Amino acid sequence: MAKVAFVGLGVMGYPMAGHLKAKGGHDVTVFNRTAAKADKWVAQYGGKSTPTPKAAAQGQDFVMACVGNDNDLREVMLGKDGIFAGVRDGAIVVDHTTASAEIARELHVEAKTRRFDFIDAPVSGGQAGAENGVLTVMCGGDAGPFAQAEKVIAAYARACNLLGASGSGQLAKMANQICIAGVVQGLAEALHFAQQAELDIEKLIATISKGAAQSWQMENRYKTMAAGKFDFGFAVDWMRKDLAICLAEARRNGAHLPLTALVDQFYSEVQKMGGRRWDTSSLIALLQR
């Protein structure tokens, strides 16, 4: 059993912290900007909450975080009452936020200066993956701290791999989101085409899902996409945030992402339709107008 803090109890962080307590058996302290959410978590799982990230981090072996974006991350890590102000020597900070590789490297260097370790560890699997404890975790950092953190992360992950030096986890998450964007657009067009052609969608998917067209998105989203229902996971607003990170990194490293840029614009059109909180499969809504 380890002493663990979890900072950020959103739709992902709340169940992840719960698994640390209920499945991992760890001594868990939580912090959330909205204190009522932290109080609810403590009432459900036990443990304790604190008034600041700094207080949550004090005396812990591991400090996990899952917040919104680079700005949120910088504040919760480096602010006056931030995590880094409370972490003890030798502890390990694990950041599950989807953010830039640049800030991951910045925080890694700052952590080393302060004599503790930092691992960037964005996740894939969405709210359902967090709730079921089957996330995929992509990590960047040093091998020694990763080996220690992996045992704790196992409470909510089915796969956890070290991809390379600091920032590599974030770069891997970018590749993940690039793949998803293309797959969802292709699936949306295929379903729209099939509907226009008056094919039986159930028979179609039962057939082509056994071949090369198969994907997680197909298996899990074709029914709701065909029905025009988009309340099943990762929101369009969040996807656009992630794709902006991908496109910015591509400008830095010289990668060409024409499809990703196009799909990002399609998502901007979904937002204009009122779909900011629809899930990412809502790309089909543009085709069904």
Side-chain angles (χ1 to χ4, degrees), residues 17-36:
H19 288 303
L20 286 170
K21 181 68 175 174
K23 187 162 72 175
H26 300 295
D27 179 0
V28 182
T29 299
V30 298
F31 167 82
N32 194 66
R33 282 184 294 187
T34 304

Side-chain angles (χ1 to χ4, degrees), residues 24-189:
H26 300 295
D27 179 0
V28 182
T29 299
V30 298
F31 167 82
N32 194 66
R33 282 184 294 187
T34 304
K37 193 73 170 287
D39 292 341
K40 178 184 176 183
W41 188 94
V42 171
Q44 182 175 351
Y45 292 105
K48 64 180 181 179
S49 64
T50 63
T52 65
K54 175 182 177 180
Q58 289 173 335
Q60 307 293 342
D61 303 314
F62 299 89
V63 183
M64 273 60 178
C66 189
V67 295
N69 55 37
D70 280 26
N71 291 335
D72 296 328
L73 185 56
R74 188 171 280 107
E75 176 61 27
V76 81
M77 292 291 178
L78 301 177
K80 178 174 66 72
D81 290 316
I83 289 170
F84 277 31
V87 180
R88 67 168 177 80
D89 288 5
I92 300 171
V93 176
V94 179
D95 176 41
H96 292 303
T97 307
T98 296
S100 69
E102 183 178 15
I103 194 170
R105 297 181 189 115
E106 174 188 333
L107 293 172
H108 181 264
V109 170
E110 182 64 24
K112 288 294 188 183
T113 300
R114 301 188 189 211
R115 298 190 297 277
F116 57 86
D117 290 289
F118 178 87
I119 296 171
D120 54 290
V123 303
S124 181
Q127 183 176 349
E131 291 173 349
N132 294 321
V134 291
L135 293 169
T136 296
V137 186
M138 297 153 270
C139 298
D142 300 327
F146 167 77
Q148 297 177 61
E150 183 181 18
K151 299 171 185 176
V152 178
I153 292 170
Y156 44 79
R158 66 176 174 185
C160 180
N161 292 308
L162 182 65
L163 278 298
S166 179
S168 297
Q170 296 296 353
L171 293 170
K173 179 61 183 287
M174 294 174 210
N176 184 82
Q177 300 306 76
I178 291 166
C179 287
I180 291 173
V183 168
V184 175
Q185 179 62 24
L187 179 59
E189 293 185 14

Side-chain angles (χ1 to χ4, degrees), residues 34 73 90 137 172 210 218-221 242 255 278 282:
T34 304
L73 185 56
V137 186
K210 302 303 187 291
M218 179 180 288
E219 295 284 353
N220 290 275
R221 291 289 178 264
D242 289 2
W278 292 350
S282 57

